[in-house]
Amino acid sequence: MASNKMGSKPKVTIHHIAEKLNITASTVSRALNDNPRISEVTKKAVLKAAKQLNYQPNNIAAALRNGKSYIIGIIVPTADRAFFASVVRGIEEIANKLHYKVIICQSYDNYEKEVQTIDALLSARVDGIIASIGKNTENFDHYKRPQEKGIPLVLFDRTTDALEVSQVVIDDYLGAYKVVEHLIQQGCRRIAHFTSPKKVSVFKERLRGYMDALRDYEVPFSEELVIKSNLQLEDGRASMEQLLGLAERPDAVFSASDYGAMGALQVLKENGIKVPHEIAVAGFGNEPFTSFSDPALTTVDQFSLTMGRITAELFFEHFKASADKKLVPQKTVLKPELIIRGSTLRNAPPKK
Amino acid sequence: MASNKMGSKPKVTIHHIAEKLNITASTVSRALNDNPRISEVTKKAVLKAAKQLNYQPNNIAAALRNGKSYIIGIIVPTADRAFFASVVRGIEEIANKLHYKVIICQSYDNYEKEVQTIDALLSARVDGIIASIGKNTENFDHYKRPQEKGIPLVLFDRTTDALEVSQVVIDDYLGAYKVVEHLIQQGCRRIAHFTSPKKVSVFKERLRGYMDALRDYEVPFSEELVIKSNLQLEDGRASMEQLLGLAERPDAVFSASDYGAMGALQVLKENGIKVPHEIAVAGFGNEPFTSFSDPALTTVDQFSLTMGRITAELFFEHFKASADKKLVPQKTVLKPELIIRGSTLRNAPPKK
DNA sequence: AGTAAATATGCAATCGGTTGCGCATAATAC
DNA sequence: GTATTATGCGCAACCGATTGCATATTTACT
């Protein structure tokens, strides 16, 4: 009577089902899991009783017993960047197909939070972790913990070679190279680059692509044209202001982030500078808003959905293998695509 | 020896710590939980041993025993809309402060997935659910399940009055009214409206605000100017095309979504129609990209971060109360803010 | 009929912490 | 010196589902 007070939950377990049917919890458990050792008659009875009693399986108990939760944790700097959202979607797609659930955690590019999140996921006993490293993270020790615990880890996009981990990235070098090549072909000769001071490989790779393209096309490199910032909208604005103050202005800006490029674009428009004819602008990432601006922004598409799917597939390979031998860490590199739009197109478009 | 094979995880438990210190697991548990009944000396010893053994608490086990997981589930249609991302952030902020973790689930506006997600969260034994209903959901029975199980549920933004649940929304009616009022003050007389055919209250409210503003200012209402669609970019484009085909074109468009408005804007620009002087355009939601377009888009800000915080606070109120008496469902309505930008500003701005 | 083999279910331990209750030993009181 | 109260920790049950092994009941087959 006391336990059936309103306000408290009924808490139906397999034992209640068992009791009702005069069988044991073992049988109920097996019936619910469609174990071939249980007769069809019993299975149907159990299913029916479960529905009647409004039974809700307790995954916590199962997870404890089985040692696996069928949950994989995803850590991204932020979920509201189209790129990350899309990767997550790709991962989810594959994971769900294999009856895994996914829990999304945001580090907000905050190192402390990233460390805490790893710990929380480990304590939550997720079966694996897929992550993209925060911008401010310079020490990667916390990413060693999952491996120590024997739970698989795969990194994507914002990765590091300091860890022996499988990773999926796009060829940032190639993407950047293509952008700069394109700008040069459009007649640009003083091409500025917005990059990040952070130790994140993607930015270093983009910088490398930028420099190599200049070198290959014998376009002079100028230190003053490379500007480091956090690459957000406001940073892009500030960087552009700085460039406009130069004795010799650039005739193109290639930002390692779309946000930075958008900031530059805004400043240029406010100053009445014509884009792309006076100064061309290109970004990186193909965020949706890049097609909304005027002119629309040339950028690099990262095939985020594909990246998510591939990351998940790679993850599950490791996952399956992790039981016995460890797989050798493997790096998958995807090819990006240059998306040419009005912000860099000086000649009339070929119209195909 | 066999259990210590490389490749398999060590699995350190409180029992190992206990063994090492010649005490019992009870004491270790209490020490780790800073129970006053344990001496400081023992606590320190336990902490030290835990660190040495690289102990990782198993939340699964604790959750099973305690009947609570310290996790709350959030369901949003999609995490990559700035609005939802921002609400989630607000919720997380409050939740983390109270040592709760948050797991984010996306329904992708898919009814089936929404139902499954509720079920998954229930089985995962989350301590509560905070959700925003998918666009295509017309049956809300699955939202009754958490309550039946005694776990608190709070809805935000995309809510319904068909459920006896606490909810946090903005005053969509007021926001829409303000937009239309503003358009009228700018001299618009044929104001079109993009809305959704879905049974989501936000859109119905915005439509109501639109109509009431017209009525109050004695601007004639015309059925042909109200267009229903899914309100995405492409829908906005199609709707705008449709409007341009009208014998008598509108002189303003108020879209219930920023995406729809952006689509309209694109079509207008492609057709060489001047915005705002020939046709003014306004959206709803204040998505970041609205400030990137040319002209920048007039829209309505929804104070998403605040909404998240308030939703979380309301949730925890219910949570604390749910032990004994149930709280009466409560509806919090936030005031939105009209953000006036170039897409509707026909007169030179006052420059303050 | 008798035994092997298949079928269906029960028993009890287990996963890793948590916690009410009880039992020492030590400290304080009268 | 005995009674009283703290203090610190151990014992064992418990949360709910899973599963190896044992048992009971049929069916099959020689």
Side-chain angles (χ1 to χ4, degrees):
Chain A
M1 195 195 250
S3 66
N4 262 351
K5 275 273 182 65
M6 46 161 293
S8 67
K9 318 111 204 192
K11 291 253 195 186
V12 181
T13 73
I14 53 172
H15 295 94
H16 297 114
I17 300 179
E19 200 175 357
K20 174 167 181 165
L21 299 176
N22 278 318
I23 55 179
T24 62
S26 318
T27 306
V28 175
S29 173
R30 293 193 173 102
L32 291 174
N33 289 311
D34 203 32
N35 186 311
R37 282 166 44 185
I38 302 298
S39 70
E40 289 305 321
V41 190
T42 308
K43 280 181 188 171
K44 274 176 193 158
V46 168
L47 254 14
K48 189 176 160 194
K51 214 152 283 174
Q52 278 180 8
L53 296 175
N54 195 19
Y55 169 73
Q56 182 90 40
N58 185 332
N59 288 350
I60 296 278
L64 175 59
R65 171 62 214 240
N66 296 330
K68 59 180 305 182
S69 57
Y70 284 94
I71 295 178
I72 70 185
I74 302 183
I75 307 175
V76 289
T78 161
D80 72 339
R81 282 257 321 269
F83 170 71
F84 289 116
S86 192
V87 174
V88 166
R89 191 165 186 152
I91 295 174
E92 228 178 335
E93 215 176 76
I94 304 294
N96 286 345
K97 219 172 270 175
L98 293 156
H99 301 289
Y100 275 78
K101 274 151 286 164
V102 141
I103 101 176
I104 306 163
C105 306
Q106 308 186 66
S107 68
Y108 299 112
D109 278 320
N110 175 335
Y111 171 74
E112 311 295 342
K113 174 118 182 160
E114 190 175 285
V115 176
Q116 284 168 22
T117 301
I118 295 263
D119 216 54
L121 289 176
L122 251 27
S123 283
R125 289 301 196 264
V126 294
D127 292 341
I129 296 179
I130 294 178
S132 198
I133 302 175
K135 230 183 241 175
N136 303 308
T137 301
E138 307 198 341
N139 177 317
F140 306 105
D141 286 346
H142 50 304
Y143 280 109
K144 291 179 187 158
R145 303 207 64 204
Q147 320 231 61
E148 286 168 10
K149 304 286 178 187
I151 91 151
L153 167 71
V154 174
L155 298 177
F156 71 90
D157 194 55
R158 305 254 201 95
T159 68
T160 174
D161 288 325
L163 293 167
E164 293 220 349
V165 183
S166 274
Q167 43 185 281
V168 180
V169 295
I170 63 147
D171 195 333
D172 288 285
Y173 172 85
L174 180 63
Y177 191 99
K178 280 183 174 175
V179 170
V180 177
E181 186 175 46
H182 163 70
L183 288 171
I184 293 170
Q185 285 164 353
Q186 293 293 312
C188 302
R189 281 295 170 272
R190 269 183 73 73
I191 303 172
H193 181 48
F194 294 172
T195 186
S196 164
K198 301 302 165 63
K199 294 190 181 177
V200 184
S201 60
V202 297
F203 300 121
K204 287 190 290 189
E205 285 299 292
R206 292 172 198 175
L207 175 59
R208 209 162 60 79
Y210 161 78
M211 297 186 69
D212 280 8
L214 291 184
R215 186 202 57 205
D216 291 356
Y217 284 87
E218 293 173 353
V219 173
F221 167 78
S222 170
E223 189 72 41
E224 64 181 0
L225 294 182
V226 173
I227 301 190
K228 292 180 180 176
S229 78
N230 201 27
L231 294 172
Q232 294 307 295
L233 186 80
E234 285 309 316
D235 305 302
R237 294 184 60 98
S239 302
M240 193 68 237
E241 306 270 16
Q242 187 179 330
L243 285 175
L244 291 181
L246 250 39
E248 199 182 348
R249 287 182 176 177
D251 55 9
V253 173
F254 163 43
S255 166
S257 121
D258 281 335
Y259 290 87
M262 194 58 69
L265 201 56
Q266 287 183 351
V267 168
L268 289 174
K269 285 170 74 175
E270 288 164 16
N271 287 52
I273 296 170
K274 281 182 189 149
V275 178
H277 295 90
E278 290 181 66
I279 299 183
V281 178
F284 202 111
N286 198 22
E287 289 283 327
F289 63 74
T290 55
S291 62
F292 296 159
S293 63
D294 185 35
L297 194 67
T298 289
T299 185
V300 176
D301 189 76
Q302 306 183 79
F303 296 104
S304 41
L305 198 61
T306 305
M307 183 179 282
R309 293 195 190 115
I310 292 183
T311 304
E313 278 159 6
L314 187 56
F315 170 84
F316 281 109
E317 266 181 46
H318 280 268
F319 190 68
K320 273 179 261 170
S322 71
D324 21 281
K325 79 280 176 190
K326 265 200 186 114
L327 280 190
V328 180
Q330 166 180 352
K331 184 168 185 170
T332 303
V333 180
L334 305 180
K335 295 288 166 235
E337 185 186 3
L338 178 62
I339 310 284
I340 299 173
R341 298 207 186 95
S343 70
T344 62
L345 215 49
R346 291 181 166 186
N347 323 320
K351 285 292 184 193
K352 210 170 197 181
Chain B
M1 194 195 251
S3 66
N4 262 351
K5 275 271 181 63
M6 48 159 294
S8 67
K9 317 114 206 191
K11 291 253 195 188
V12 181
T13 73
I14 54 170
H15 295 94
H16 297 115
I17 299 179
E19 200 176 356
K20 174 167 180 162
L21 299 176
N22 278 320
I23 52 179
T24 61
S26 319
T27 305
V28 175
S29 172
R30 293 193 174 102
L32 291 174
N33 289 310
D34 203 30
N35 186 310
R37 280 166 46 184
I38 303 297
S39 71
E40 289 305 321
V41 190
T42 308
K43 281 181 188 170
K44 274 177 192 159
V46 168
L47 254 14
K48 189 177 161 193
K51 214 153 282 173
Q52 278 180 9
L53 295 175
N54 196 17
Y55 168 73
Q56 182 89 42
N58 186 332
N59 287 349
I60 298 277
L64 176 59
R65 170 63 214 241
N66 295 329
K68 60 180 303 182
S69 57
Y70 284 94
I71 294 178
I72 72 185
I74 303 183
I75 306 176
V76 289
T78 161
D80 71 339
R81 284 259 319 270
F83 171 70
F84 289 116
S86 192
V87 173
V88 167
R89 191 166 186 151
I91 295 173
E92 227 178 335
E93 212 177 80
I94 305 295
N96 286 345
K97 219 172 272 176
L98 292 157
H99 301 288
Y100 276 77
K101 275 152 286 167
V102 143
I103 101 176
I104 306 163
C105 305
Q106 309 186 65
S107 68
Y108 298 113
D109 278 322
N110 175 336
Y111 172 73
E112 312 295 343
K113 174 116 183 162
E114 189 175 288
V115 176
Q116 284 167 22
T117 301
I118 295 264
D119 217 54
L121 289 176
L122 252 25
S123 283
R125 290 301 196 267
V126 295
D127 291 341
I129 296 180
I130 294 178
S132 199
I133 302 175
K135 232 182 237 175
N136 303 308
T137 301
E138 307 197 341
N139 177 316
F140 306 105
D141 286 348
H142 51 302
Y143 280 109
K144 291 178 186 158
R145 302 207 64 205
Q147 321 231 61
E148 286 168 12
K149 304 287 179 185
I151 89 149
L153 167 70
V154 173
L155 299 177
F156 70 89
D157 194 55
R158 305 254 201 96
T159 68
T160 173
D161 288 326
L163 294 167
E164 294 220 348
V165 183
S166 275
Q167 41 183 281
V168 180
V169 296
I170 63 144
D171 194 333
D172 288 284
Y173 172 85
L174 179 64
Y177 191 99
K178 279 185 175 175
V179 170
V180 177
E181 187 175 46
H182 163 70
L183 288 171
I184 292 169
Q185 286 165 353
Q186 292 294 312
C188 301
R189 281 295 170 271
R190 269 182 72 72
I191 303 172
H193 181 48
F194 294 172
T195 186
S196 164
K198 301 302 166 60
K199 294 189 180 175
V200 184
S201 61
V202 295
F203 299 121
K204 288 191 289 192
E205 285 299 292
R206 291 173 198 175
L207 175 60
R208 209 162 60 78
Y210 161 78
M211 297 185 68
D212 280 8
L214 291 185
R215 186 202 58 205
D216 290 356
Y217 284 86
E218 294 173 352
V219 173
F221 168 76
S222 168
E223 188 75 55
E224 64 180 0
L225 293 182
V226 174
I227 302 190
K228 292 180 181 177
S229 79
N230 201 27
L231 295 174
Q232 295 308 295
L233 185 79
E234 285 308 316
D235 305 304
R237 294 185 59 97
S239 303
M240 194 67 238
E241 305 270 15
Q242 188 179 330
L243 286 176
L244 292 182
L246 252 38
E248 199 182 348
R249 286 182 176 177
D251 55 10
V253 174
F254 163 42
S255 167
S257 119
D258 281 336
Y259 290 87
M262 193 58 68
L265 201 57
Q266 288 184 350
V267 168
L268 290 174
K269 285 170 74 175
E270 287 164 17
N271 286 53
I273 295 171
K274 281 183 189 149
V275 178
H277 295 91
E278 292 180 65
I279 299 184
V281 179
F284 201 111
N286 199 20
E287 288 283 328
F289 62 74
T290 55
S291 61
F292 296 160
S293 63
D294 185 34
L297 195 67
T298 290
T299 184
V300 177
D301 189 76
Q302 307 183 77
F303 296 103
S304 41
L305 197 62
T306 304
M307 183 179 282
R309 292 198 191 114
I310 291 183
T311 304
E313 278 159 5
L314 187 56
F315 170 84
F316 281 109
E317 266 182 46
H318 279 268
F319 190 69
K320 271 179 263 170
S322 71
D324 19 282
K325 80 279 177 190
K326 265 199 185 112
L327 279 192
V328 180
Q330 165 180 352
K331 185 167 186 169
T332 303
V333 181
L334 306 179
K335 296 287 166 236
E337 185 187 3
L338 177 62
I339 310 283
I340 299 173
R341 298 207 186 95
S343 70
T344 60
L345 216 48
R346 291 182 165 184
N347 324 319
K351 285 290 182 190
K352 210 170 197 184

